[in-house]
Amino acid sequence: MIRNLKEVKDNNFDITRSAEEVRNLSFNDHVCLGCGICESTCPVEAITLNAIAVDARHRISNDVYFSGHEKIAQNFKDEFDVQRVSIDESKCVLCGMCSGLCPVDALVLTIDGIEAYPHYNAFSEIDDDECIYCKRCEIACPRDAIVIERVLPDRADLVTGEIDVDDEECIYCGVCEELCPAEAIVVDKETGRESIVIDKDKCVYCLVCKKSCPTNAIKAICRACNYGEYDLDPAKAAVKGNSVIDSELCVFCGWCEGVCPTDAAKHKKPFEGSIEIDDDKCQACGACVDICGCNALAFPVSSGPGSRMEHVIANNDYCVKCKACAKACPNGAITVKRTEIDHTPISSTTWKDALDAIKD
Amino acid sequence: MPKHIASGLKYLAAVKLKDAGESHQAIAEELGVDRSTISHYLNGRNLSWNSIDVARTIVDLSPRDFLKMTEAIFDEPEQSRKIVNICRERNFEVSIGDSCIGCGLCVNACTMKAIELESLKAHADSIQCCGCQLCSDECPTNSIKILEI
């Protein structure tokens, strides 16, 4: 009989069955949302979702803890780092159902190296023609999946004029040097070696030097005045760059599109539905905030010292309806409903049933 | 000894093919032996009757035992697949239920290469099935039913 081989590296692992075709299921821990769809889908009960609520809390506490519960976070400072998902390789039959239903591809099944299984119709993209490289999405992305590389124009190209020094008038007092906000002026005040140098690349034509010069030695040449029009070349002023979304890390939450001031960022979620918090049940423990991979849950900003923590707030727009929070909530205060699932066509009855099973 | 039994099985296969109307040349090509050997076989020469008896006993075993014995004797999957297909007396009807998850374990288990995966589901070619039921033993969802017809 052909046996499965398991290779574990940190919290990631690969399960391989090599027969006529080589089937490989690989788990990527840092991609996993902890939604548990794989656990409930697995037809041979080989998958277990681990105690990830505690794990998530620890991870955040090592870096920045943003649920506002530093006191709780301190209790979990000890080493606690587990695989979010465990798979028993003696039970796994490598059918790939977990991979097909994983909303973020934390589990990927390949057959002979090819990813051939059905997928959710989800995507995220940034249109470089529309993007102004403001980096709003890069900062908002909860998974640090976006990198915006921008190239700024030369500052000298954006300045509306130039200044010059009349050496006859200059007394090398250094007043302009001290006042220049751009540190563009260097004055040598040493007797016999006097000099003044203006770095045109640094000068922003603010005219502080001209206004402060006691001898009126600084001449300003305003391009706007000379030519009747700013001689600014819009092409030279353009911010260039490119944007990259790490498709492995992206969870299709839509923060990028939400914060994008232009129409550059677009996304589509695998699931549509709703998320609701029962305020009476919520004890503001913050487990949901810790576990949420989309930053869709947050506590309201405290209204003042000594005030009681308010209930958690869910932002439906950025929630991917993965239900990890609902699983983590100890009080059953969160109700997430998946009403629509967009998936590539499947003809297999079992697979269809599996997809129907995760729909509300 | 195994070689003699192998010859016995080849003999039985040659007789069956002959009965089906195949020419000596075609039988020789099918079984991977030269034409004169086939002629000898079919004329009842160069083969002990005992090894033919053993071969007959093997063919009459349960489908799984027949398959496993043949595999052990030939130690060459392609060859044993041919012998089993030609010599087996029984036919089977394979049905794979909708509970199939498309894991492919049956595909690996099937020596006869009767099962293929398509659209996340296993599909069996009943004509190739030898009835060994190795596939249904492996199936994690009990989706394979094999009936003798």
Side-chain angles (χ1 to χ4, degrees), chain B residues 1-12 41 46-58:
Chain B
M1 264 302 273
K3 281 227 164 96
H4 293 110
I5 301 171
S7 302
L9 285 165
K10 281 185 185 172
Y11 165 79
L12 292 179
Y41 280 177
N46 279 4
L47 204 65
S48 70
W49 288 107
N50 179 253
S51 56
I52 296 173
D53 283 343
V54 175
R56 279 215 179 90
T57 312
I58 290 172

Side-chain angles (χ1 to χ4, degrees), chain B residues 49-69:
Chain B
W49 288 107
N50 179 253
S51 56
I52 296 173
D53 283 343
V54 175
R56 279 215 179 90
T57 312
I58 290 172
V59 173
D60 285 342
L61 292 170
S62 75
R64 180 177 300 186
D65 292 340
F66 172 33
L67 177 74
K68 293 222 155 186
M69 277 303 285

Side-chain angles (χ1 to χ4, degrees), chain A residues 1-2 17 19-21 23 43-44 93-95 97 111 117-118 346-351, chain B residues 97-105 107-110 113 117-121 138 140-141:
Chain A
M1 192 197 145
I2 301 145
R17 181 175 85 213
E20 265 174 56
E21 52 177 26
R23 282 181 178 238
V44 293
V93 294
L94 289 149
C95 65
M97 233 177 225
I111 300 176
Y117 272 60
I346 293 177
S347 55
S348 159
T349 317
T350 343
W351 281 66
Chain B
D98 278 347
S99 53
C100 169
I101 51 173
C103 68
L105 281 174
V107 179
N108 295 340
C110 183
K113 296 203 173 184
L117 280 187
E118 203 192 306
S119 307
L120 303 171
K121 189 176 181 296
E138 285 286 318
T141 56

Side-chain angles (χ1 to χ4, degrees), chain A residues 162-183:
Chain A
E162 282 173 21
I163 55 164
D164 207 358
V165 183
D166 183 347
D167 288 337
E168 301 289 311
E169 300 291 335
C170 182
I171 54 170
Y172 309 102
C173 64
V175 167
C176 58
E177 181 186 23
E178 278 178 49
L179 281 170
C180 178
E183 295 182 358

Side-chain angles (χ1 to χ4, degrees), chain A residues 124-141 146 148 243 245 253-267 317-318:
Chain A
S124 59
E125 62 183 20
I126 296 171
D127 182 351
D128 269 346
D129 289 341
E130 298 281 340
C131 181
I132 55 170
Y133 310 106
C134 66
K135 296 197 180 198
R136 297 262 295 152
C137 55
E138 182 181 304
I139 294 156
C141 179
I146 304 178
I148 304 287
S243 51
I245 301 181
C253 63
W255 270 103
C256 50
E257 187 173 338
V259 298
C260 183
T262 68
D263 282 336
K266 290 273 185 294
H267 86 291
D317 289 348
Y318 302 134

Side-chain angles (χ1 to χ4, degrees), chain A residues 216-233:
Chain A
N216 203 18
I218 299 198
K219 307 289 171 227
I221 308 149
C222 176
R223 293 182 202 153
C225 312
N226 277 357
Y227 307 115
E229 186 58 64
Y230 288 103
D231 71 337
L232 292 178
D233 182 354

